[in-house]
Amino acid sequence: MYGVDGDNTQAFGNNPGVWDFQNGFDHGAYAWALPQLYVELAKGDLSVKLGHFFTLGGYEVVPATGNFFYSHSFTMNNSEPFTHTGVIATYTLNENITGYAGWTAGWDTGFDQFGNGSSWIGGSSLALCENATLTYITTHGDFGALSAGEDNSYSHSVVLDLSLTDRLNYVLQHDLFDANNIETVGINQYLLFAVNDCWGLGGRMEWWKNDGQSFNAATFGVNYKPHANF
């Protein structure tokens, strides 16, 4: 990928000069990144992904096409990983429950290990009813560059996705990050309304706390999709 999101999705948890980090891929505000390269094997209800891939945590995602807003929350930018290198298994127990479990070489690494970076990643997704899904993803261990050698770092992301009507969607997200004597807590709320197949209205309210200092943000916008591919 190329653009202003490039430097955010490079493997900046690497040692300098490895993969796409500090390798001459930056050009001012724009940068190249190769955020995913993996193989995936599957049989029945089990799949296993091995390589370099996007994180499972959080509500907002790296590709711009997966988000309502172009901007990102404090929580995503500061309290969540973007990518991992490692292995993760996904098992679909039934139509309502999916489980995740795996190992990564810390946070935001690309085929490299910063120090003793080694962490668990896992969680589950539960369909509470036809219109509500609850997803819990956690990482624990040595996050690499972020952990500064500590092996008891912890984070989690809990996302409740609720369809209030056929057109109105509400999302509540809670994140916690605790590593290297830094603790952040975030609560995000999204309200998204589909006017029709082309037009959408959205709002995001966020409270984010970093070591005792609170930040608040409100974002509102209009999303227009003239065509399914544009």
Side-chain angles (χ1 to χ4, degrees):
M1 64 177 294
Y2 177 76
V4 294
D5 282 342
D7 60 347
N8 265 355
T9 51
Q10 290 176 353
F12 50 83
N14 276 3
N15 292 285
V18 181
W19 195 240
D20 55 8
F21 179 56
Q22 293 189 7
N23 249 335
F25 291 166
D26 297 341
H27 305 281
Y30 298 87
W32 289 98
L34 189 58
Q36 295 202 109
L37 181 63
Y38 63 85
V39 294
E40 188 169 14
L41 304 175
K43 183 177 182 181
D45 296 323
L46 176 67
S47 66
V48 178
K49 186 181 293 185
L50 176 66
H52 182 46
F53 44 80
F54 290 135
T55 190
L56 295 175
Y59 174 68
E60 296 177 17
V61 295
V62 171
T65 53
N67 302 305
F68 185 91
F69 296 108
Y70 175 74
S71 65
H72 286 301
S73 63
F74 289 121
T75 302
M76 180 184 180
N77 273 321
N78 300 287
S79 301
E80 296 174 358
F82 291 103
T83 63
H84 301 281
T85 294
V87 58
I88 188 161
T90 301
Y91 182 72
T92 303
L93 181 63
N94 53 48
E95 61 181 9
N96 296 320
I97 302 175
T98 301
Y100 310 94
W103 171 89
T104 70
W107 280 25
D108 299 299
T109 58
F111 300 102
D112 189 30
Q113 187 177 28
F114 190 98
N116 295 316
S118 176
S119 56
W120 150 273
I121 183 171
S124 61
S125 181
L126 173 64
L128 302 176
C129 61
E130 184 179 353
N131 299 320
T133 302
L134 182 67
T135 302
Y136 168 81
I137 299 294
T138 181
T139 59
H140 182 264
D142 189 330
F143 294 167
L146 279 175
S147 289
E150 296 182 0
D151 60 1
N152 61 344
S153 300
Y154 173 83
S155 78
H156 74 230
S157 177
V158 182
V159 178
L160 174 64
D161 194 328
L162 179 62
S163 296
L164 300 176
T165 70
D166 290 341
R167 294 187 177 185
L168 189 61
N169 183 232
Y170 171 74
V171 176
L172 174 64
Q173 175 183 352
H174 166 66
D175 275 37
L176 174 66
F177 169 86
D178 187 357
N180 192 22
N181 296 317
I182 297 173
E183 181 176 284
T184 69
V185 180
I187 296 177
N188 296 1
Q189 296 185 83
Y190 304 79
L191 193 63
L192 308 174
F193 180 71
V195 178
N196 52 42
D197 290 342
C198 296
W199 290 95
L201 306 175
R204 177 179 65 206
M205 302 291 291
E206 178 182 12
W207 170 76
W208 184 71
K209 188 175 182 180
N210 179 16
D211 280 351
Q213 186 174 5
S214 291
F215 300 82
N216 296 277
T219 306
F220 305 95
V222 179
N223 198 305
Y224 178 57
K225 299 180 179 180
H227 187 273
N229 297 323
F230 182 77

